[in-house]
Amino acid sequence: MDLSVIVLLSLCGFLRGQETTDPISLDDCCKDGKERGQESQDCTSLPLISESTTCRIAQEQCCTAVLEDNICTSGINVAKDQGSCDALLSSSTCETKTAKTCCECCLLGRAAQERGLSCDLTLAVWYQCGLVSRACCVDRSPNSDGKPAPELPKAQGDAQNTEDQCKAAGCSQSCFNGSCACLEGYKLKADAKTCEDINECLLGSHHCRGGERCINTLGSYRCQRVISCGTGYELTDNNKCEDIDECETGTHNCGAELECQNTAGSFRCRPRVQCGVGFIQDALGSCIDINECLSVTGPCPSGHMCFNTVGSYTCQRHSVTCGRGYHLNADGSRCVDIDECAGPDNSCDGHGCINLVGSYRCECRAGFIFNSISRSCEDINECRNYPGRLCAHKCENILGSYKCSCTMGFKLAADGRNCDDLNECESSPCSQECANVYGSYQCYCRRGYQLSDADGITCEDIDECALPTGGHICSYRCHNTPGSFLCTCPAIGYTLAPNGRSCQDIDECVTSTHSCSESESCFNIQGGYKCLNFDCPANYRRSGDTRPRVDRADFIRCVKSCQPNDISCMLNPILSFSHTAISLPTFREFNKPEEIVFLRSPTPSHLPHMDSPEIVYDILEGNVQNSFDIIKRLDHGMIVGVVRQVKPLVGPVSSVLKLAMNYVTNGVVSHRNIINVHIYVCLWESN
């Protein structure tokens, strides 16, 4: 049986036990899923026949099992029909991979049968692959004499005892109708005899709850809690969190005078000794006297005074009660006026004091005002009472008066209220130049320097070479100097231009500072020169004058010159060899191809027609990194071959680009001219 079917049967059994209230049975849900799987519907978006979650799972899993079985069967059929799985390699979909796996497992079984090996694979393949391999192997296996096994007569077959069949089967656990079966928690291996444990944790068929980890065991599994029980609890052997009795285990921190009392997840420390009436117990268990006289209601009746005692209190009746501003006389017989102004520390706190019968009045100094409720002199906040009228900038209240101050960049004027501008530049705060502005100052720097972002007063040198445009300040190399910069050129082949930034190439061929011999031609390149010697091959002679110096536009041409009766020379289609040289810079930016060489035929060649040859241009050799191409163009009635540089080259590079100008008549090359372009790419480009 397919592994997916076994899992589904287990799942159906589980779901049937989990949900019994749905009027639609799980068998109906599975049947609907199988029918839709036969129709190759999308198993993840099936129309639900029930609102039950378990019914939806049964639908999807039964549908998936049918689809996977069909896909696997198609792969087995490919192996049987074609003997190869190459037809399944063209796609990388999940379905194709499943079919390819079943196809290859079937080929393993067929190969085992062809080699006379056992159909029970000993390879460490997955379970379904072993089933497919064994089925394909048994399907092709003959019996011992090479003929199909004869069928037993029905009577004889019926007489065969089921018990004898089970004994012959050699089952490891149990047998049913001659076939081996396994106990719950086990599954039958590929040999159809031996049972192996089902890993419920791997298959997801366990019932562990959130916060628990599934651990597989032989024939079953167990759930172990993975989330901590928390402080004050411990995990027991039955996987439950149980309270720790800190009082019993002695892990509490209660003092000797306190008693430990266990609570759920914690404990409490309670005093061993209970305090008596009139005392209260603090956190350390000590008994503190209660001052009953401080209670809101008071323990004594009206007309009595309360006196606290240790653990209790006493009440005494008032003899005479004096009002505010009065107190008892020396003998306690009557009330007399209190002179609040008597003594240096009177009630007016240093202000003038006038005693009144039963009261007093303060004569406050300037900047203060008398508060009749608190009966004291309070400071007048002039800044709050007269905002913007006392000081030009900032007003600060002080005891009995106020003080004016100025914001940064100003100083207090002689009148103590207005503010004058402060010339900060007089104290030279800037490292170079300073400009005073109203209420502040501004530092600025001389050319080649910039203000520091850190303090705004220090001038720092500008590294012109490190600026984003620094690569364009100097054409070769830039050296920073304090307040400026210096441009330099390569030591050989260049000189600094009058503008002090650009590098000019030294034409050694013009200045005669080259070392070319008389037989060689000097060709100037960026930063140097080349000594060129263009010798004509056999049966060719040089056309034109020989120049000691070669320019970019010069062509040195060797034309064919055959000896009389030299048939092979005359039949040679190459009419001429030409040489030219070109110097190209490196690191150039390519927005479009650049035209570097133009090839014109010796005589005007108008548009091709039936009687005139067609000119075909071709690059034969030396096209480094395919950096060049050649196109054909009509220019003033002449066909011109244009050589273009289509990719940048990083120097130094030297190459000979061998070009062919073919004259084609009726599809056959009648003759051709060879042009050798000597290309020199320098390491650096001057301006």
Side-chain angles (χ1 to χ4, degrees):
M1 183 181 293
D2 190 350
L3 178 61
S4 60
V5 177
I6 295 175
V7 174
L8 283 174
L9 291 178
S10 301
L11 177 64
C12 287
F14 164 68
L15 295 176
R16 187 178 291 112
Q18 291 292 314
E19 189 167 314
T20 58
T21 59
D22 197 332
I24 300 178
S25 66
L26 291 180
D27 291 334
D28 294 337
C29 299
C30 184
K31 180 180 178 181
D32 180 79
K34 288 182 178 180
E35 292 175 353
R36 298 184 185 279
Q38 293 292 350
E39 298 172 359
S40 299
Q41 296 187 20
D42 185 2
C43 296
T44 62
S45 58
L46 297 177
L48 303 179
I49 63 174
S50 171
E51 296 181 356
S52 170
T53 302
T54 53
C55 183
R56 175 187 61 77
I57 296 175
Q59 276 185 277
E60 292 184 2
Q61 297 303 321
C62 292
C63 174
T64 303
V66 171
L67 285 180
E68 291 185 353
D69 286 345
N70 292 342
I71 294 170
C72 187
T73 302
S74 66
I76 295 174
N77 293 336
V78 171
K80 292 181 178 180
D81 297 340
Q82 303 180 13
S84 171
C85 302
D86 295 340
L88 301 174
L89 299 177
S90 59
S91 176
S92 61
T93 62
C94 182
E95 292 81 0
T96 305
K97 290 180 179 178
T98 302
K100 176 177 175 292
T101 300
C102 293
C103 176
E104 292 178 344
C105 293
C106 183
L107 291 180
L108 283 176
R110 292 166 68 93
Q113 186 276 329
E114 291 173 356
R115 299 179 183 180
L117 302 176
S118 172
C119 291
D120 295 326
L121 285 180
T122 59
L123 301 177
V125 296
W126 64 301
Y127 180 65
Q128 186 174 358
C129 182
L131 295 179
V132 173
S133 173
R134 188 175 188 279
C136 291
C137 177
V138 173
D139 184 51
R140 298 188 63 188
S141 298
N143 59 3
S144 59
D145 57 1
K147 298 180 181 180
E151 295 184 0
L152 293 175
K154 187 175 188 303
Q156 182 180 354
D158 294 339
Q160 193 169 7
N161 192 290
T162 301
E163 182 178 355
D164 295 336
Q165 294 177 0
C166 289
K167 291 181 179 180
C171 302
S172 64
Q173 289 191 354
S174 63
C175 178
F176 181 74
N177 290 337
S179 298
C180 294
C182 297
L183 300 177
E184 184 179 0
Y186 294 86
K187 63 181 178 181
L188 205 60
K189 295 179 67 175
D191 59 4
K193 298 179 181 180
T194 308
C195 295
E196 63 178 354
D197 172 58
I198 296 175
N199 192 333
E200 295 85 356
C201 301
L202 182 62
L203 296 176
S205 58
H206 59 85
H207 307 302
C208 294
R209 297 170 297 182
E212 295 180 339
R213 178 167 60 93
C214 177
I215 300 177
N216 188 58
T217 61
L218 285 177
S220 184
Y221 64 93
R222 62 186 178 89
C223 300
Q224 179 173 312
R225 184 182 180 94
V226 295
I227 301 177
S228 173
C229 288
T231 305
Y233 294 89
E234 62 181 351
L235 190 65
T236 61
D237 294 336
N238 59 357
N239 203 35
K240 293 183 178 179
C241 291
E242 188 175 89
D243 172 57
I244 299 174
D245 190 342
E246 294 85 357
C247 302
E248 182 179 348
T249 59
T251 57
H252 61 85
N253 58 354
C254 297
E257 68 279 5
L258 300 177
E259 183 180 7
C260 176
Q261 179 181 357
N262 186 60
T263 61
S266 185
F267 63 93
R268 292 183 181 275
C269 298
R270 298 188 179 278
R272 296 180 181 273
V273 179
Q274 299 297 323
C275 297
V277 178
F279 294 88
I280 187 172
Q281 208 157 26
D282 62 7
L284 298 179
S286 302
C287 294
I288 307 299
D289 173 55
I290 299 174
N291 190 344
E292 298 84 353
C293 298
L294 297 179
S295 62
V296 176
T297 57
C300 296
S302 178
H304 290 72
M305 182 177 294
C306 177
F307 294 92
N308 184 60
T309 61
V310 177
S312 185
Y313 64 93
T314 60
C315 297
Q316 293 182 3
R317 179 181 295 275
H318 286 295
S319 57
V320 178
T321 302
C322 298
R324 183 177 180 179
Y326 295 88
H327 64 92
L328 287 173
N329 58 4
D331 58 5
S333 60
R334 60 187 180 88
C335 295
V336 295
D337 173 58
I338 298 173
D339 187 359
E340 293 87 353
C341 299
D345 299 329
N346 56 51
S347 301
C348 292
D349 194 20
H351 296 269
C353 182
I354 301 175
N355 186 57
L356 302 176
V357 177
S359 182
Y360 67 95
R361 178 168 57 85
C362 295
E363 294 287 342
C364 299
R365 299 192 301 270
F368 293 87
I369 188 172
F370 182 72
N371 188 327
S372 58
I373 298 176
S374 63
R375 307 191 66 77
S376 63
C377 291
E378 295 180 348
D379 174 58
I380 299 174
N381 192 333
E382 297 86 354
C383 299
R384 183 177 59 192
N385 294 341
Y386 311 101
R389 296 167 57 185
L390 301 178
C391 302
H393 282 190
K394 295 189 294 183
C395 179
E396 179 184 358
N397 184 64
I398 59 177
L399 191 63
S401 184
Y402 65 92
K403 181 175 68 175
C404 295
S405 61
C406 301
T407 57
M408 185 178 293
F410 294 89
K411 61 182 178 180
L412 198 63
D415 60 3
R417 299 177 60 183
N418 294 304
C419 294
D420 296 334
D421 175 55
L422 178 65
N423 188 354
E424 297 86 352
C425 295
E426 293 178 351
S427 60
S428 302
C430 304
S431 64
Q432 288 189 358
E433 304 295 335
C434 176
N436 185 62
V437 295
Y438 185 72
S440 183
Y441 65 97
Q442 178 65 49
C443 296
Y444 62 95
C445 302
R446 292 186 282 273
R447 183 173 181 177
Y449 294 87
Q450 63 183 0
L451 277 177
S452 170
D453 294 334
D455 56 15
I457 61 175
T458 305
C459 290
E460 299 175 343
D461 173 55
I462 298 175
D463 188 352
E464 295 84 357
C465 303
L467 294 175
T469 58
H472 303 286
I473 293 178
C474 299
S475 62
Y476 181 61
R477 284 183 181 170
C478 177
H479 301 275
N480 186 58
T481 61
S484 185
F485 62 93
L486 179 65
C487 297
T488 60
C489 297
I492 300 175
Y494 295 92
T495 182
L496 192 64
N499 62 9
R501 297 188 178 188
S502 303
C503 292
Q504 293 179 341
D505 173 58
I506 299 174
D507 192 340
E508 293 85 355
C509 300
V510 173
T511 59
S512 298
T513 56
H514 60 85
S515 59
C516 299
S517 63
E518 294 182 358
S519 62
E520 295 175 326
S521 299
C522 178
F523 176 67
N524 184 65
I525 63 174
Q526 292 287 334
Y529 63 92
K530 293 290 182 180
C531 296
L532 306 179
N533 188 359
F534 303 121
D535 292 331
C536 294
N539 295 324
Y540 291 86
R541 61 178 176 80
R542 181 171 291 190
S543 173
D545 298 335
T546 301
R547 300 184 181 181
R549 179 175 177 272
V550 178
D551 291 328
R552 172 170 177 168
D554 291 342
F555 272 84
I556 298 175
R557 191 161 176 259
C558 297
V559 297
K560 185 166 69 173
S561 178
C562 298
Q563 299 297 324
N565 301 324
D566 189 347
I567 303 302
S568 62
C569 175
M570 295 179 181
L571 295 178
N572 188 352
I574 300 177
L575 298 182
S576 66
F577 287 92
S578 299
H579 296 270
T580 188
I582 184 172
S583 176
L584 298 176
T586 191
F587 297 128
R588 53 175 40 190
E589 298 178 356
F590 271 81
N591 296 324
K592 62 180 180 178
E594 183 172 350
E595 300 173 352
I596 59 174
V597 178
F598 300 90
L599 305 178
R600 293 180 173 83
S601 58
T603 58
S605 300
H606 299 283
L607 287 172
H609 52 80
M610 294 299 294
D611 298 328
S612 63
E614 180 186 1
I615 299 178
V616 178
Y617 298 95
D618 193 14
I619 299 177
L620 303 179
E621 297 176 4
N623 193 357
V624 180
Q625 301 176 10
N626 293 322
S627 300
F628 304 94
D629 69 357
I630 185 168
I631 61 174
K632 187 164 63 175
R633 179 189 299 165
L634 182 64
D635 186 16
H636 296 88
M638 296 185 68
I639 294 179
V640 180
V642 181
V643 180
R644 306 184 305 174
Q645 183 180 359
V646 295
K647 292 182 181 178
L649 280 174
V650 179
V653 174
S654 60
S655 176
V656 179
L657 193 65
K658 188 174 182 179
L659 310 175
M661 183 186 296
N662 302 301
Y663 294 84
V664 181
T665 304
N666 297 326
V668 179
V669 177
S670 60
H671 58 280
R672 59 168 46 171
N673 294 327
I674 301 298
I675 302 94
N676 295 298
V677 181
H678 297 259
I679 297 176
Y680 300 98
V681 181
C682 65
L683 181 61
W684 173 76
E685 176 184 6
S686 65
N687 292 342

